[in-house]
Amino acid sequence: MLVASDLVRRYGDLTAVDGVSFHIDPGETYGLLGPNGAGKTTTISIIAGLIPAHSGTVTVAGQPMGPREVDAKRSIGLVPQDLAIYPELSARENLAFFGRLQGMRGKPLTRRIDEVLDLIALSDRAKDATKEFSGGMKRRLNIGIGLLHAPTLLILDEPTVGVDPQSRNAILESVEALSGGGMAVLYTTHYMEEAERLCDRIAIIDSGRIQAEGTRGELITLTGGLDYIRLTGEGQIEAAATALRGLDAVVQVVADRRLLTLTVRDAPAAVAGVVTTATAAGMTLGEVEIVRPDLESVFLHLTGKALRD
Amino acid sequence: MRQLWTMTASDLRQRVRDRSVFIFGLVVPLALMFVFNLTIGSTNDVALTPITVSVSVPAGDQLAATLVAALGQVDAFPITVDEVSADEAGARVRAGKAQLAVVVPDGFGEAVRQGRPAVVDVTEGNGSKIETQIALSVMQGVLDHLSASAVVVNAGVRSGVAQARLGALAEQAATVMPTVNLTEGKASSEQLSPSGALVAGQAGLFLLFTVGFGVLGLVAEREQGTMARLRSMPMRPGLIVAAKGLVSYILGVVATTVLLTVGSRFFDVSFGSPAAVAVLVLCAVAAATSLMFIIARVARTAEQANVAQSILALVLGVAGGAFFPLGATGLAGRVLDLNPIAAFTRGLGITSGGGGLADIGAPVAIMLGFAVFGLAVSRLVPDRGRDL
């Protein structure tokens, strides 16, 4: 459905996307997981034909994609990170406007608008100006517009940013339902749990490069079976980090203000020594947490920094 | 084409709903027209009222009669001439029964014929107004003409002309029509009346604000995130820009037409041939829209775009005579001539003076040239928003 090959995009001296390649099969949900500034949105902008790549190619449903390519754009539905809706228009008018730009007309358009309004649970507010909507309702409409013309590839750029937990869950359920319908989905996020929940395959992206790609299970094996211990506290954090690096069970220590994240072998066995050493170094512990390997662990393992950085 | 119209119609619907285009495109300029007309217009559009002039003229003096008769030829306002005695002339002015007294002394005509000095006494009433000044100016003109005969007589005496011939020469000099005349030419008829200039200038000034509601929407689309979605639609990116330009053009034409129509009705101004005025409006809107494309290209935010738009609108509007007539010579004058708002008001001056389509070539060429220049520049300047 989508093939991106060796994409490069530069802004002055900064290479925002540096040799990104991946593909998405029909019915597959593919995640781009990375922190802010990793190059996710720039990658999506190239794939959606908003900006050209300085090198590399994108094909969607076999058609070359670029800013001036019309045919390939018929196959995609873009849900931008910003709320791409018109506040003065109602939900129905927004859907009708973008539907017409997609070439839809008449009764098929009206019928499809009704279906989408049902899907995003906005049928009862269809005639209200969207400037009156809550943030969650706007987010749902933002997704609904991307779905309207039943694209074969739906591109969602961090669709849950700034959304309350209830709306967020509703959005995630909607996306889960879409992949069941055979639509290919490209989903970018910096929330590990969203990528884990939604995506069949995940690419971990940082500094414009894909660091690793695979299913959740495949990615976690990259950590070598290592566990994580998170220590939160006050006092001599740096001194504690230095002391902990001397323990045999500790592979890596990352200090972030009041938080120490330790990569360790066999966390349950190592935790007692870790606590004793940190306390002896002058750190007053507030919280100790053992974390089994997850995508955040993978990101930490691959980049040496936390996903939220 | 359908996509172009879909975007244009949707944009127009939103502009109508948020009402700001009505406020800045119609309400504010009309309000300003009224305010300025009350201040500037009241000083320029003076309504002249009738006056009474008491005159004392020696019986049988033809030249003195010529002087008084000139007052009756003023057609700008009625002048009632009361012939009274010399004493009564001044008394009537002091009593407020006349605004001006003119006393021509005995022997006035004879003195003029012989080239001797003669004095005409005038008395203005209290609160003398412009009508009195006009009457005095008219009489001064006649006196200047008559004084020419004194010069002729003196020249004749020095040249040895016979005494019998001098009187005839003096009378001929006093009554002959001037050989050099001022004729009101086309340049004069291009001048709009003060009210007309006000309506045209304000329409031109606010045109630059109105067209911003279309093209500068590109910056707003960028800020609110809809530009990304529009650019992902199956259409050429140029259609988005074309739609915004079309919105600007429609808004500009409608607002300017309404302003000129309402302004001309309220302030009793006629701009002449509707076809010629329509051509001027179309060209002015094209020029103003091209300017907005430059702003949309260089502005990163809507705030930057609004500031740039306001500065350009005020500079071009003021230079185009939106608030008061502006004139310059030399290079500055030629630069001012290239201002599309000035060309627009100048064109309206031509049409209001009776000019038609064939007479507005110069302002039309300036405005269309400006439009082409603006569009060319908008393609050359760096696209800081990366949308156009």
Side-chain angles (χ1 to χ4, degrees), chain A residues 73 78 86 93 101 142, chain B residues 3 17 221 224 229 231:
Chain A
K73 288 183 179 178
L78 175 66
Y86 293 103
E93 287 170 337
L101 292 187
N142 200 33
Chain B
Q3 289 163 320
R17 283 188 187 172
E221 299 262 13
Q224 70 189 16
R229 175 159 268 151
R231 289 174 66 87

Side-chain angles (χ1 to χ4, degrees), chain A residues 152-211:
Chain A
T152 49
L153 172 65
L154 181 67
I155 302 170
L156 298 118
D157 189 9
E158 308 229 28
T160 60
V161 168
V163 174
D164 62 89
Q166 192 178 353
S167 294
R168 185 182 184 192
N169 194 50
I171 289 170
L172 295 180
E173 284 178 359
S174 302
V175 177
E176 282 176 319
L178 293 173
S179 58
M183 183 184 290
V185 178
L186 173 57
Y187 191 98
T188 77
T189 182
H190 64 274
Y191 294 123
M192 171 201 70
E193 59 273 25
E194 289 184 7
E196 287 190 328
R197 175 174 167 179
L198 297 175
C199 300
D200 302 310
R201 285 189 301 133
I202 299 159
I204 290 178
I205 186 169
D206 187 49
S207 303
R209 291 173 177 270
I210 289 184
Q211 306 291 335

Side-chain angles (χ1 to χ4, degrees), chain B residues 1-92:
Chain B
M1 203 61 190
R2 275 184 166 182
Q3 289 163 320
L4 177 66
W5 178 242
T6 296
M7 285 187 284
T8 304
S10 177
D11 234 28
L12 288 172
R13 179 186 296 162
Q14 290 176 75
R15 299 289 82 78
V16 168
R17 283 188 187 172
D18 74 11
R19 295 188 182 88
S20 47
V21 70
F22 287 115
I23 295 169
F24 286 100
L26 296 175
V27 177
V28 173
L30 281 173
L32 281 176
M33 280 182 202
F34 277 102
V35 170
F36 283 119
N37 193 58
L38 287 174
T39 53
I40 301 172
S42 63
T43 60
N44 289 318
D45 287 342
V46 177
L48 297 174
T49 55
I51 62 170
T52 299
V53 180
S54 297
V55 298
S56 169
V57 181
D61 190 329
Q62 289 298 315
L63 291 181
T66 302
L67 178 63
V68 174
L71 291 174
Q73 292 169 5
V74 174
D75 56 5
F77 59 96
I79 298 179
T80 304
V81 178
D82 288 342
E83 288 201 30
V84 294
S85 67
D87 293 339
E88 196 179 348
R92 286 178 68 84

Side-chain angles (χ1 to χ4, degrees), chain B residues 29-169:
Chain B
L30 281 173
L32 281 176
M33 280 182 202
F34 277 102
V35 170
F36 283 119
N37 193 58
L38 287 174
T39 53
I40 301 172
S42 63
T43 60
N44 289 318
D45 287 342
V46 177
L48 297 174
T49 55
I51 62 170
T52 299
V53 180
S54 297
V55 298
S56 169
V57 181
D61 190 329
Q62 289 298 315
L63 291 181
T66 302
L67 178 63
V68 174
L71 291 174
Q73 292 169 5
V74 174
D75 56 5
F77 59 96
I79 298 179
T80 304
V81 178
D82 288 342
E83 288 201 30
V84 294
S85 67
D87 293 339
E88 196 179 348
R92 286 178 68 84
V93 168
R94 285 188 290 276
K97 294 178 180 174
Q99 284 72 46
L100 185 65
V102 179
V103 177
V104 182
D106 288 338
F108 171 79
E110 195 56 31
V112 170
R113 286 189 192 92
Q114 294 178 5
R116 287 184 283 110
V119 176
V120 176
D121 286 328
V122 295
T123 307
E124 291 182 65
N126 288 333
S128 170
K129 294 191 295 184
I130 192 166
E131 294 86 349
T132 314
Q133 299 301 318
I134 292 171
L136 284 172
S137 296
V138 169
M139 286 195 296
Q140 185 63 54
V142 175
L143 289 171
D144 288 344
H145 203 58
L146 293 177
S147 66
S149 63
V151 175
V152 168
V153 169
N154 284 327
V157 169
R158 289 170 191 268
S159 304
V161 175
Q163 189 69 30
R165 181 101 176 91
L166 282 177
L169 279 175

